[in-house]
Every structure is written in structure tokens, then in C-alpha cells.
């Protein structure tokens, strides 16, 4: 499959399938995350689970993802991006089939943990891979396909849950994920390896062949020369300890980890998991709440597509700053809903839907896709996998912590929870303003050079645009 690109011969036809299969791990990431809410409705009574055990089914995936993210970073640097993607596909398939056939809680937990390992691995490797194969001028939209796949995976999970709920078929809900896992394995087998990783391993001829698929001969020579130059000046593969001791790399690692953590503490997954609960608490029927939630999932996919068409023009920094302000406004709206008693059912319903939709629109235009895009761009080649693994670990840890604390905080007061999220959205906006560089349109090597020359945000003039 080929997709002609615009621009009077500046970029040769790009193989769309390369990007599609490269991003497929994102679909499984979203699906496995989204499907559990529906499945739990039936696992809980059928297996007689306690509240704690129900929580364990959800969180086992997140624990696996934390371990997978942290563990796969160095492996990705050592054995290659493609090999790790193939490994993740096998784990996805194993986890899906195992959880579907599990005879008891122990086995469900074990296979959800395996699925988590795959989700964590994909969340590290997919952004790096997409970033490393994309031409600089379109890297945002191509590597943003990851987020499109994640939100589509969540939507597919909602729809599968809706379709299978009447049959209470939780085993099928888990098991169907094996289909994209097999596709990912087959597609991944035919995928090229990342050209940047190939050069790091001294396999320049192969890297040339990969890049030649989507670059003109002049672009190809220039890009190869730039990667080789950067690579020669930094032959040494970097370990985490060495990164932490180097002030410039430490700073980049902190920016990446901060972005990854803040993406979670703004409350996105509580909005995803608890939207039906929020809607029911203000008087929606279960059916209407689930339908409205699926509608919100559809909206997320559409807005993510819009983000992909804009990201290489508007850049990363401004949407991160402004998007978080919009997300804050949405949280204030939701907080107001719970603080103001005596609203009519109609008014409360509209306020809730508007707040939830506004949050999803702003998140999807900014922190949703942009964090993953930027994590694939920020780190230097010699430490990209390792650093990405660390930053991504913070994303999963944040996801886990918010999931754990949210029900506790709800006990204190729903309005208060949304106020806390509103404040954290403002903190995120300030973080982007103070620390996040602009990476739009630059090659990964240029970003690396610029960041290497930038000791503190005040001197980052070159990067802030
Ligand atoms: C986040 C996930 C979230 C998803 C929602 C991703 O960028 O990392 O935690 O569930 O967006 O679309």
C-alpha cells in the first residue's frame, strides 16, 4: 500500500503500511486498557470477586505495563525496535488468549500481567520506532498515529463491550484482542528496522535501503550523513546512571518524565473510566450513560485525526500550554456541577456532557498525542530506548496511582476531586511553558544537538518558538 505525499517531489511516496503496522501496538494498548471495564461487570459476579480482587484485575495490567516499560528500554536499544515490537505482539496474543481461557482469578491476573508487559513495551517502542522512520517535516502526524490507534482501541473496546454485554461474554471481550495481535506479528515481520538504530549498529547499507523508501536521493544522503555524524560523536551506549550524572541529559530525562507523569495526573483515565459513573450519578440511565460514553470515545478519535493534520504546522509547545488550560476549564465546569446543588436534571446533564466533551477535545488536541510524539523525539539516539523506558514508567505509575487514589478521593467529595485535577492541569500548562522545547520540523539529530547545547530553559531561545 502506498500513499502519495504532497509537495512537488520533496518527499517520495511513503509506504502507509509501514506506519500503520508500526502503530498497531497502540490499538492493543487502547483496547486492553478499555475492555476491562466491560468485562469486569460479568467477571465479578461469575467468579464472586471482592472489591479488592476487582481492583486487582484492573491494576494487574498497569503493574505489568510499568515493568514492561522499564524493562524493555535497554532491550530496545540492544536488539532493535522491530524485534521488540515482534516480542510485544507475541505477549499481546498470549495475554489475550490466556485471559480468555483463564479458569480462575489467579490465571486472569497472570495473563493480564502478561498483557500489561506487552502494553508497556509497546508504549515505549512504538513512539520511538515511528519517530525514527518518519521524515522530519511530517514526524508529528506520522508518529501521532500511535495516539490515533490508542483512542481507536479504546473506542473498539467500548463497542465490543456494548455488543457482547447481553451475552455476558467477558471471555470473548479479552480474547478478541488476539486478532490485532496476530496482525501485528505478521505486519511486524515485514516491517523494516529503524534506520537510526541500524546506523548505531554500524549497518548503514540497510539503513539507506529503509530510508530510500520515503526520501529523495538528496534527502537520503543528507539524512544519513547527519545521523552518522551524531552517532560517531556519541559512540558510547548510555546507561541510566550515566544519563543521570550528565546535567544536560538529566534535564531532558526530567522533562520527558515530567510530561509523561503530568499526562496522567490531569485525570484523563478517570474521565475515561468514570464517565458513565459520573453521568449515572446525575440521573442518566445505565444505557444512556454507556451510549454517551461511546459517543465521547468517537469524538476523541475524530479530534485526534484533526490533531494529526495540524501538529506539523502548529508545533508541540503551544498546544501543550493551551490544551492544559482548556482541560482546566473543563475540570472547573465538572467541579461546579458537583458543588451547585438543585440543578434540574436537564441542566446537570448538559453541564456534565459539555465538561467531559471539552476535556476530551482539549486532551486529544494536546497532551494525548503530543506527549507520546515528544517522548519519541526528545532523547538522544545513544540512550533513546533506556530514557524512553524510564519516562514511560512514570506514565504508567501515574496511571496506577490516580486509579488507586480516585475512589478514595471520591469519598471526600466529587467536586473536590475535579478542583484538584483543575489545579494539576494548570501545573501542566506551566510545566510546558517553562521547560518544554519546540521540536516541530527539526530532524531528530538537530533536536539532539540543540538540546545538548541548552543548559537551562532561559538559554533555550533556539528551541522555543
Ligand atoms: C494516554 C492514556 C489514555 C489515552 C486516552 C493516552 O495518550 O497515555 O493513558 O488512556 O491517551 O486516549
Amino acid at each position: 500500500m502506498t500513499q502519495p505525499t504532497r509537495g512537488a517531489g520533496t518527499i517520495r511516496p511513503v509506504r502507509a503500511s509501514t506506519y500503520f503496522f508500526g502503530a498497531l501496538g497502540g490499538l492493543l494498548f487502547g483496547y486492553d486498557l478499555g475492555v476491562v471495564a466491560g468485562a469486569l461487570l460479568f467477571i465479578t459476579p461469575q467468579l464472586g470477586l471482592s472489591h479488592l480482587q476487582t481492583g486487582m484485575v484492573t491494576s494487574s495490567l498497569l503493574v505489568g505495563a510499568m515493568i514492561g516499560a522499564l524493562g524493555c528500554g535497554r532491550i530496545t536499544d540492544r536488539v532493535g525496535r522491530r524485534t521488540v515490537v515482534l516480542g510485544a505482539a507475541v505477549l499481546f496474543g498470549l495475554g489475550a488468549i490466556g485471559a480468555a481461557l483463564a479458569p480462575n482469578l489467579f490465571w486472569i491476573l497472570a495473563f493480564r500481567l502478561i498483557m500489561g508487559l506487552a502494553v508497556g513495551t509497546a508504549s515505549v517502542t512504538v513512539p520511538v520506532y515511528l519517530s525514527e522512520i518518519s521524515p522530519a517535516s511530517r514526524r508529528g502526524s506520522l508518529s501521532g498515529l500511535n495516539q490515533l490507534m490508542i483512542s481507536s482501541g479504546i473506542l473498539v473496546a467500548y463497542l465490543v463491550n456494548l455488543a457482547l454485554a447481553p451475552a455476558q461474554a467477558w471471555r470473548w471481550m479479552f480474547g478478541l484482542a488476539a486478532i490485532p495481535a496476530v496482525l501485528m506479528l505478521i505486519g511486524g515481520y515485514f516491517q523494516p528496522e529503524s534506520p537510526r538504530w541500524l546506523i548505531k549498529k554500524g549497518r548503514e547499507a540497510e539503513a539507506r535501503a529503509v530510508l530510500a523508501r520515503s526520501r529523495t536521493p538528496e534527502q537520503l544522503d543528507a539524512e544519513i550523513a547527519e545521523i552518522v555524524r551524531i552517532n560517531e560523536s556519541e559512540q558510547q551506549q548510555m546507561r541510566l546512571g550515566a544519563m543521570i550524572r550528565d546535567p544536560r541529559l538529566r534535564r531532558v530525562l526530567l522533562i520527558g518524565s515530567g510530561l509523561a507523569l503530568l499526562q496522567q495526573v490531569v485525570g484523563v483515565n478517570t474521565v475515561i473510566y468514570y464517565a458513565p459513573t459520573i453521568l449515572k450519578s446525575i440521573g442518566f440511565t445505565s444505557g444512556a450513560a454507556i451510549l454517551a460514553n461511546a459517543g465521547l470515545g468517537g469524538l476523541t478519535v475524530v479530534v485526534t485525526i484533526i490533531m494529526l493534520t495540524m501538529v506539523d504546522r502548529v508545533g508541540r509547545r503551544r498546544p501543550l500550554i493551551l490544551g492544559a488550560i482548556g482541560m482546566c476549564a473543563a475540570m472547573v465546569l465538572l467541579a461546579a456541577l458537583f458543588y451547585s446543588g438543585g440543578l434540574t436534571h436537564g441542566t446537570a446533564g448538559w453541564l456534565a456532557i459539555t465538561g467531559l466533551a471539552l476535556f476530551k477535545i482539549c486532551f486529544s488536541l494536546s497532551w494525548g498525542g503530543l506527549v507520546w510524539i515528544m517522548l519519541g523525539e526528545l532523547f538522544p539516539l545513544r540512550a533513546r530506548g533506556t530514557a524512553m523506558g524510564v519516562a514511560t514508567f512514570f506514565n504508567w505509575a501515574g496511571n496506577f496511582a490516580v486509579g488507586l487514589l480516585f475512589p478514595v478521593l471520591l469519598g471526600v467529595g466529587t467536586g473536590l476531586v475535579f478542583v484538584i485535577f483543575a489545579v494539576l492541569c494548570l501545573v501542566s500548562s506551566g510545566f510546558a511553558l517553562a521547560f518544554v522545547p519546540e521540536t516541530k520540523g527539526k530532524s531528530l539529530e538537530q533536536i539532539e544537538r540543540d538540546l545538548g547545547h541548552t543548559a537551562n530553559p532561559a538559554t533555550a531561545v533556539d528551541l522555543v518558538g
Side-chain angles (χ1 to χ4, degrees):
M1 201 190 334
T2 60
Q3 171 198 308
T5 51
R6 283 173 288 120
T10 46
I11 298 173
R12 297 233 316 263
V14 170
R15 276 174 203 270
S17 60
T18 303
Y19 299 109
F20 174 80
F21 285 111
L24 203 56
L27 188 88
L28 282 148
F29 169 160
Y31 184 86
D32 287 334
L33 217 63
V35 83
V36 71
L40 273 178
L41 293 178
F42 310 110
I43 299 178
T44 305
Q46 279 183 27
L47 300 186
L49 304 186
S50 66
H51 283 313
L52 178 68
Q53 288 169 330
T54 304
M56 283 162 72
V57 175
T58 311
S59 56
S60 51
L61 182 110
L62 301 179
V63 172
M66 280 190 255
I67 301 170
L70 210 52
C72 83
R74 280 201 68 210
I75 304 178
T76 305
D77 280 338
R78 200 177 300 163
V79 304
R81 322 318 192 193
R82 178 179 162 274
T83 313
V84 173
V85 166
L86 289 176
V90 172
L91 288 178
F92 268 128
L94 195 69
I97 293 172
L101 300 176
N104 55 36
L105 176 68
F106 172 80
W107 286 108
I108 293 181
L109 293 180
F111 283 109
R112 290 278 297 166
L113 194 81
I114 290 177
M115 264 188 223
L117 291 176
V119 171
T121 303
S123 62
V124 170
T125 317
V126 171
V128 169
Y129 179 76
L130 289 174
S131 187
E132 289 186 340
I133 58 169
S134 306
S137 60
R138 301 179 60 212
R139 196 179 52 241
S141 59
L142 291 171
S143 108
L145 284 176
N146 180 39
Q147 180 68 14
L148 182 60
M149 288 287 192
I150 296 174
S151 45
S152 304
I154 294 176
L155 179 63
V156 172
Y158 288 165
L159 299 177
V160 166
N161 285 349
L162 268 177
L164 296 181
Q168 307 201 352
W170 63 268
R171 292 184 186 279
W172 279 101
M173 292 177 188
F174 284 145
L176 282 176
I179 298 173
V182 170
L183 272 182
M184 185 175 161
L185 191 64
I186 297 171
Y189 180 78
F190 294 103
Q191 289 286 99
E193 181 48 274
S194 151
R196 286 172 167 83
W197 182 82
L198 286 169
I199 289 186
K200 188 151 72 79
K201 294 287 161 184
R203 291 157 61 179
E204 190 182 319
E206 287 167 76
R208 251 177 198 283
V210 176
L211 283 178
R213 297 175 177 209
S214 58
R215 315 292 198 270
T216 61
E218 307 80 63
Q219 287 171 332
L220 176 64
D221 287 338
E223 195 163 341
I224 291 276
E226 196 180 20
I227 305 172
V228 168
R229 208 174 323 117
I230 283 273
N231 193 47
E232 276 169 357
S233 65
E234 299 174 344
Q235 265 305 328
Q236 201 65 21
Q237 175 68 45
M238 257 203 157
R239 285 168 178 261
L240 182 59
M243 281 193 84
I244 293 174
R245 283 192 298 276
D246 178 324
R248 286 172 309 200
L249 286 172
R250 185 169 62 228
R251 182 165 181 276
V252 171
L253 193 60
L254 284 174
I255 295 176
S257 304
L259 278 173
L261 181 69
L262 289 170
Q263 191 210 41
Q264 292 301 317
V265 302
V266 293
V268 55
N269 284 308
T270 57
V271 169
I272 289 176
Y273 299 139
Y274 292 91
T277 315
I278 294 169
L279 294 171
K280 270 178 78 177
S281 75
I282 53 166
F284 278 61
T285 62
S286 295
I290 290 175
L291 214 60
N293 198 33
L296 289 169
L299 177 74
T300 307
V301 172
V302 173
V303 179
T304 305
I305 294 174
I306 297 174
M307 183 275 289
L308 295 187
T309 64
M310 294 176 8
V311 60
D312 287 312
R313 263 180 297 124
V314 299
R316 336 288 199 229
R317 201 176 119 80
R318 281 199 191 98
L320 284 174
I321 299 168
L322 298 176
I325 294 177
M327 281 144 57
C328 170
M331 287 300 186
V332 169
L333 211 62
L334 290 170
L337 169 74
F338 285 96
Y339 277 124
S340 55
L343 293 177
T344 64
H345 171 55
T347 315
W350 278 114
L351 261 183
I353 293 281
T354 310
L356 292 170
L358 180 65
F359 184 88
K360 290 217 163 185
I361 290 172
C362 294
F363 181 83
S364 307
L365 285 175
S366 60
W367 286 73
L370 285 173
V371 167
W372 294 114
I373 292 173
M374 291 208 77
L375 290 181
E377 299 177 331
L378 278 177
F379 304 118
L381 180 58
R382 67 195 145 136
R384 192 165 287 143
T386 309
M388 178 75 185
V390 172
T392 305
F393 167 82
F394 281 104
N395 187 267
W396 290 111
N399 194 333
F400 180 75
V402 173
L404 206 66
L405 289 178
F406 186 70
V408 181
L409 287 172
L410 275 187
V412 184
T414 314
L416 176 72
V417 177
F418 290 114
V419 171
I420 295 175
F421 284 141
V423 172
L424 289 168
C425 289
L426 281 188
V427 171
S428 305
S429 179
F431 180 86
L433 183 68
F435 301 114
V436 175
E438 183 53 82
T439 51
K440 174 185 78 170
K442 298 181 178 182
S443 69
L444 293 179
E445 291 65 38
Q446 199 179 343
I447 296 170
E448 195 167 320
R449 243 189 337 261
D450 289 349
L451 284 173
H453 290 301
T454 307
N456 65 61
T459 57
V461 198
D462 180 19
L463 286 160
V464 176

